[in-house]
């Protein structure tokens, strides 16, 4: 009886250790995405390849408190500012959702290929999608937000949290500008092709 109980206890401890290690595992993949596990809704499960690359389904935006890579791999200061703003917005009856956040280089390259097909040229696509080398999404420094009520609220209140719209043609695209709380957000670029960072 004692031997059986000890065996069951040992097995339970081993399972707990495996689950815990999965929850904090890091991939050997150079992009740091494959094989990553994450806790979602109090359970640990393996990420899908799309989740690991930062894909957010078109009609299923994430909470700003989500733990999947699209949110968890954002720059920590950006993520913290976003969460502070979202709490205030929610108190005002506005829900802020993430339509796109951190993206792997592979996902960014896929988006750019799709944009070239959609817009007919690399030049026109560049007004909407950056390269993997220049994208603020790949570096974790940009987030696309929605719905309209949220971006409308942020256009009025975002600067207080350092959250600024960067491109006039993309009212959903926000980046952190810490000085905005005191001096307001900088002037917007008409579109990304006017942003010097896109010319690297």
């Amino acid at each position: 009886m004692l031997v059986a109980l000890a065996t069951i206890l040992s097995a339970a401890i081993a399972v707990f250790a495996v689950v815990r290690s999965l929850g904090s595992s890091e991939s050997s993949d150079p992009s740091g995405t494959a094989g990553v596990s994450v806790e979602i809704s109090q359970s640990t499960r393996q990420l899908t390849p799309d989740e690991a690359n930062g894909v957010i389904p078109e009609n299923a935006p994430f909470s700003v408190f989500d733990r999947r890579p699209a949110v968890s791999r954002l720059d920590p200061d950006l993520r913290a500012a976003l969460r502070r703003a979202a709490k205030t917005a929610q108190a005002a009856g506005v829900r802020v959702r993430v339509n796109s956040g951190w993206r792997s280089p592979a996902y960014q390259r896929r988006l750019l290929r799709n944009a070239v097909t959609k817009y007919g040229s690399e030049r026109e696509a560049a007004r909407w999608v950056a390269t993997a080398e220049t994208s603020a999404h790949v570096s974790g420094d940009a987030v696309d937000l929605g719905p309209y009520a949220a971006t409308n609220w942020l256009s009025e209140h975002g600067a207080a949290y350092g959250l600024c719209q960067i491109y006039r043609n993309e009212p959903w695209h926000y980046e952190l500008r810490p000085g905005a709380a005191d001096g307001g957000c900088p002037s917007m670029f008409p579109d990304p092709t006017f942003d010097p960072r896109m010319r690297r």
Side-chain angles (χ1 to χ4, degrees):
M1 175 85 171
L2 287 176
V3 172
L5 186 58
T7 303
I8 291 170
L9 185 58
S10 295
I13 291 170
V15 167
F16 176 77
V18 168
V19 168
R20 190 161 181 202
S21 70
L22 282 174
S24 61
S25 68
E26 299 226 354
S27 168
S28 60
D29 176 64
S31 69
T33 58
V36 179
S37 293
V38 67
E39 184 176 318
I40 303 168
S41 302
Q42 307 304 320
S43 64
T44 302
R45 66 165 175 81
Q46 198 74 12
L47 290 172
T48 67
D50 270 354
E51 288 172 339
N53 279 294
V55 177
I56 298 178
E58 190 173 331
N59 296 315
F62 289 176
S63 160
V64 299
F65 299 97
D66 199 281
R67 297 183 184 184
R68 284 168 285 193
V71 176
S72 68
R73 291 190 176 202
L74 289 171
D75 171 79
D77 292 334
L78 170 59
R79 191 173 60 244
L82 183 60
R83 289 174 174 176
R84 286 193 304 273
K87 285 181 181 178
T88 306
Q90 187 168 340
V94 176
R95 297 177 68 187
V96 178
R97 290 292 177 262
V98 178
N99 292 319
S100 191
W102 171 85
R103 302 170 185 160
S104 72
Y107 179 35
Q108 187 69 27
R109 286 190 287 271
R110 181 180 17 156
L111 289 174
L112 184 55
R113 285 194 303 272
N114 292 345
V116 170
T117 299
K118 178 178 179 178
Y119 296 109
S121 71
E122 290 183 8
R123 182 176 180 175
E124 187 62 21
R127 296 185 62 235
W128 304 98
V129 182
T131 66
E133 294 73 29
T134 60
S135 173
H137 285 279
V138 172
S139 64
D141 295 312
V143 63
D144 292 347
L145 303 171
Y148 173 77
T151 57
N152 191 46
W153 186 90
L154 284 165
S155 71
E156 186 175 345
H157 304 286
Y161 303 89
L163 297 171
C164 294
Q165 182 187 341
I166 304 302
Y167 306 120
R168 195 166 299 284
N169 70 328
E170 296 186 0
W172 53 83
H173 180 102
Y174 279 80
E175 297 181 21
L176 184 65
R177 298 292 184 268
D182 296 322
C185 289
S187 297
M188 287 182 269
F189 297 109
D191 66 52
T193 61
F194 289 82
D195 186 342
R197 298 175 300 171
M198 301 299 115
R199 299 174 196 146
R200 287 185 288 178

